[in-house]
Structures are given as structure tokens and as C-alpha cells.
Amino acid sequence: MELMEFISFLARWGHYVFGVAWIGLLYYFNFIQGGFAASASDSTKVELFTKLVPNALWYFRWAAAMTFLTGLILLYFVLGAGTLRGGLVIGGLMATIMFLNVWLIIWPNQKVVIASNESVAGGGEADPGQADAAAKALLASRTNTLFSLPMLYLMGSGAHGGMAGAAWNTPDLAFWVLLVIVVIIEGNALFGKTGPITTVKGVISSSVVLSVIVMAVLAWL
């Protein structure tokens, strides 16, 4: 096996491993921890956000970073092979937005929540901005969950011709329609509300619907 081929293999393997860790923790936060925290006592919440959450967020954000880094390495090889499709570009854009949401929205706002709970644990007062920070982090996290299923579909179908749309350097109507959808959804993550993705059932259903829309756009446009 040649060196570059081996590097490509390692990058792909790492991309899978780190991606599983990242999305797995994303689902844990949204499907399990969130529901538990909502019904937990105040003292339990303080313990949760001072002991478990900081550790889980460390793995979460660095898994996201390593997934993104290995993805960039894989992109180099895909470009070199001339097999990059429009659908894969959109999937990569979704993943990049998800990565940025982790580091620029979720993590900064969760730090506020963690610091507030640490203050309470030490006998101090809660940060009055905690609720607002938690809401911003939740919206970004729910948005990432919404993106996750169609992103995985697009990344998985990227090497399968028509399933992934036209070549990336000749974007077709499907590419532009999907791009507009992604921009609108992320715009809501920055300036909107959770709406139908407030609940676990809502975000799962919305992600499935978005996946079907993506498939339909690629198939018919």
C-alpha cells in the first residue's frame, strides 16, 4: 500500500470513528440527558452540570473537531480523484455548520450554564443569563440533530452517481435548492426558535422529513 493511499485509509477510518463518537454524544444530549435534566431536582441538576456535562462536552467538541479535520483530509483525496458531487458538497456544508455550531454556539453557552451551576455548588448565586444561554445551546443542538440524518445520507450517497446530484463544479437546480434549505435552517438556529424541533419526537420527525425532502430534490430536480 502506497503512503498516500494509507493516509487516505487512516483518514477515512478516523472520520468514521470520530463521527460515531460525535453524533452518538449529540443524540445522548438530545434524547437522554435533556429529558432527565428537565425532570431532575435542582440539586441533581447542579451535580449533573458540574460533574457529568463538562466531561461529556469535552469528548463531544473534540470528536466534532477531529471529524471535521479528517473530513478535510478526505476532501483533498476526493478532489484529487475528481469524484466530488453536489450532494456531497451539501452534506459537507451541513457537517461544517454542525461543527461550527458546536464550537461557536453550543460550547460557549454551555460554559455559561456550567459556570452558573459551579457557582451554586460553591454557595454562590446562579447566573441570571443561564436560561438564555441554555436556550441558545438547545436550539443549536436541536438544529444539529435536525441536520444529522440528511447529512449522513448525503455523505453516504456521495460516491453513488445520480444519488448525489451533479458534479460539484457544475451545480444543478437541486444543489441550489438544497443550499437555500440549509441556509434557512441555520438562519433559524442563529436567530429563530426551536418550534417543531423543541421536543425529541419533533426533532426526530423533522430530521426524517428533511431527509425525505433531500432525497426527493436529488431525484426529481
Side-chain angles (χ1 to χ4, degrees):
M1 181 181 294
E2 295 182 358
L3 177 60
M4 296 304 290
E5 184 180 356
F6 182 64
I7 292 174
S8 175
F9 169 78
L10 285 180
R12 189 174 301 277
W13 177 57
H15 196 59
Y16 292 154
V17 172
F18 292 120
V20 167
W22 178 18
I23 301 302
L25 283 166
L26 173 68
Y27 289 166
Y28 159 75
F29 285 129
N30 280 271
F31 302 159
I32 300 171
Q33 181 182 288
F36 171 78
S39 59
S41 64
D42 290 342
S43 61
T44 299
K45 289 179 183 178
V46 169
E47 190 169 13
L48 176 70
F49 280 96
T50 56
K51 296 181 178 179
L52 187 150
V53 172
N55 189 41
L57 282 172
W58 188 92
Y59 286 98
F60 177 65
R61 66 182 187 273
W62 286 110
M66 293 305 297
T67 304
F68 179 71
L69 177 61
T70 52
L72 289 179
I73 297 172
L74 286 176
L75 178 61
Y76 168 81
F77 287 102
V78 171
L79 286 171
T83 56
L84 186 60
R85 315 292 294 184
L88 186 58
V89 172
I90 296 296
L93 175 62
M94 287 182 175
T96 300
I97 289 172
M98 291 169 65
F99 159 72
L100 293 174
N101 283 344
V102 168
W103 279 92
L104 301 182
I105 302 177
I106 297 173
W107 174 232
N109 283 287
Q110 285 286 22
K111 284 197 292 184
V112 174
V113 177
I114 292 169
S116 177
N117 281 274
E118 288 175 341
S119 175
V120 172
E125 296 293 328
D127 186 334
Q130 175 182 337
D132 183 58
K136 291 178 180 177
L138 175 63
L139 178 54
S141 187
R142 284 285 199 260
T143 301
N144 279 8
T145 305
L146 174 62
F147 274 141
S148 65
L149 291 184
M151 179 273 293
L152 290 170
Y153 169 79
L154 288 168
M155 300 297 276
S157 65
H160 299 288
M163 290 178 64
W168 73 277
N169 56 347
T170 55
D172 56 2
L173 179 59
F175 175 88
W176 295 113
V177 169
L178 293 178
L179 180 61
V180 169
I181 291 173
V182 170
V183 170
I184 290 173
I185 291 174
E186 181 58 18
N188 181 74
L190 295 173
F191 308 109
K193 298 181 179 180
T194 51
I197 60 175
T198 300
T199 65
V200 171
K201 289 183 179 179
V203 74
I204 293 174
S205 299
S206 297
S207 189
V208 171
V209 169
L210 182 58
S211 299
V212 172
I213 291 173
V214 167
M215 295 175 194
V217 168
L218 287 173
W220 296 326
L221 294 184

